[in-house]
Amino acid sequence: MLVCMKLQRYEIRDPARLIHDIATRVELAEDSAYLALVHHPSTHQRLQEVRALALPALLDDGERISDELREAVQAIVPQAAPHPPEYVVTTVVVRPGRCIFGPNEVVWSNGWRYANHFAAAHTGDLLLVTEHGWVDLMTAEAG
């Protein structure tokens, strides 16, 4: 029995396509991290912008992450963005190793927890990309 569930407005409809779209705009280089701004992620899923973060993908502690994420989100989300938000900002972390969430991704998640960007966008989704594939933190969808 096939069950169709309606996505929440902040959920990415097709993470595989999003990673492909990002890879056409930037090189997904090892030990790099990016922010992707997606308009209407659960329906049209249009990639608006991709921005490389100044931070490496591999981090031991998240003290600097929150400030970097806050500033990057404020810069990437349009000032006149509507409420409720039509955008989602997704983090893409590119690192070597197994394609499973570990201590490094916990550091990134904690960084989002304290980012407090106040922009009109949903945030917190994390896509991990390795030489073995990708995985979405929020849905556990992988490829």
Side-chain angles (χ1 to χ4, degrees):
M1 177 179 192
L2 180 64
V3 177
C4 294
M5 296 177 55
K6 183 179 182 206
L7 294 175
Q8 298 295 319
R9 68 179 342 134
Y10 54 83
E11 292 179 304
I12 297 170
R13 183 172 50 87
D14 187 349
R17 191 182 103 212
L18 179 59
I19 291 170
H20 177 268
D21 292 348
I22 291 168
T24 63
R25 294 192 188 187
V26 297
E27 179 185 354
L28 295 175
E30 185 177 299
D31 197 22
S32 60
Y34 306 89
L35 282 189
L37 179 66
V38 182
H39 192 233
H40 293 293
S42 64
T43 56
H44 305 299
Q45 187 181 309
R46 188 180 61 199
L47 179 61
Q48 291 282 119
E49 188 174 342
V50 179
R51 185 168 293 196
L53 294 170
L55 299 167
L58 298 166
L59 296 166
D60 292 328
D61 78 62
E63 285 188 32
R64 295 185 354 225
I65 295 177
S66 295
D67 291 339
E68 172 80 14
L69 290 173
R70 178 176 42 259
E71 291 170 13
V73 169
Q74 289 172 346
I76 200 172
V77 175
Q79 292 285 338
H83 289 279
E86 296 177 353
Y87 294 95
V88 68
V89 178
T90 300
T91 311
V92 179
V93 173
V94 185
R95 65 156 174 81
R98 295 179 65 199
C99 196
I100 58 172
F101 287 98
N104 186 69
E105 290 69 45
V106 170
V107 171
W108 279 97
S109 294
N110 286 338
W112 270 115
R113 177 177 291 223
Y114 301 106
N116 300 327
H117 55 76
F118 301 111
H122 297 286
T123 58
D125 197 12
L126 180 66
L127 297 172
L128 171 62
V129 177
T130 75
E131 67 271 24
H132 301 290
W134 61 270
V135 64
D136 183 334
L137 171 69
M138 300 304 267
T139 66
E141 190 172 342

